[in-house]
Amino acid sequence: MSASLIFDIAPIGSLVAWSDGTVQPPERHRKKLSAWKSRNSQGRLIRKQAGRTTGTYIAQPDFTIHEGDFGSAGTIVLRVFRTFSIDSDLTFKVVDRPVIGSVRIFDRPGAGAELVHLAVSRADAETWLTQHRHPLAVLEEVTADEAAATVVEGRAAA
């Protein structure tokens, strides 16, 4: 599916894969493999941002995916995020959606909020919040209505 469809119908917290449609090069071609991995990967959808205008510049709507964390001994040193415009030439696929009853934890209220954690339950979310400081955190439960809306409206993402 296109980046535009991901922006329109994939719920925040979904696991999304993207691909340029090329075949993975052999392991011995390290530079080619590294370039291929940057255009063929997956991660968790953490933010959608509507189009915006700054002076004469008009930015297209985009979405951000958390691709992964790097570190050791429980300490995260580097977080990898990818932001895609809705006119991206890559092909996207929703691999997994948030389970009904799970709880999204956003860093702040409002349109610019970013998903910082997807908890299994509200109790799990509150426990996570006691260990990680997010003073403006917003909890949002994934409801059955949200999951059913995509099917009823005929917008189920493949």
Side-chain angles (χ1 to χ4, degrees):
M1 78 177 47
S2 69
S4 179
L5 277 174
I6 292 293
F7 184 84
D8 290 340
I9 65 175
I12 298 290
S14 295
L15 195 58
V16 177
W18 62 91
S19 173
D20 62 2
T22 60
V23 178
Q24 180 176 348
E27 294 288 330
R28 68 180 183 274
H29 298 288
R30 291 188 180 148
K31 288 183 181 178
K32 287 181 182 179
L33 183 61
S34 177
W36 181 87
K37 285 181 178 178
S38 72
R39 294 188 49 87
N40 298 272
S41 190
Q42 70 179 16
R44 188 150 318 270
L45 180 63
I46 62 165
R47 182 176 58 132
K48 296 180 184 181
Q49 190 166 359
R52 54 212 174 276
T53 304
T54 306
T56 58
Y57 177 72
I58 300 171
Q60 296 240 352
D62 59 38
F63 56 91
T64 303
I65 294 177
H66 176 222
E67 189 174 0
D69 295 330
F70 294 96
S72 64
T75 302
I76 297 171
V77 177
L78 176 70
R79 303 192 95 169
V80 179
F81 297 98
R82 301 278 176 128
T83 299
F84 299 96
S85 175
I86 62 165
D87 63 355
S88 174
D89 63 340
L90 299 173
T91 303
F92 295 85
K93 178 182 178 184
V94 176
V95 177
D96 191 25
R97 294 172 181 272
V99 179
I100 296 170
S102 59
V103 177
R104 299 179 187 109
I105 303 174
F106 291 97
D107 62 347
R108 62 185 173 272
E114 220 174 74
L115 180 74
V116 291
H117 185 69
L118 183 62
V120 177
S121 65
R122 182 162 292 276
D124 222 19
E126 290 169 358
T127 301
W128 187 88
L129 275 174
T130 61
Q131 298 170 354
H132 302 83
R133 297 184 185 184
H134 287 280
L136 300 175
V138 175
L139 302 179
E140 179 182 286
E141 188 170 341
V142 177
T143 63
D145 293 340
E146 177 184 341
T150 57
V151 176
V152 170
E153 295 173 12
R155 302 183 315 173

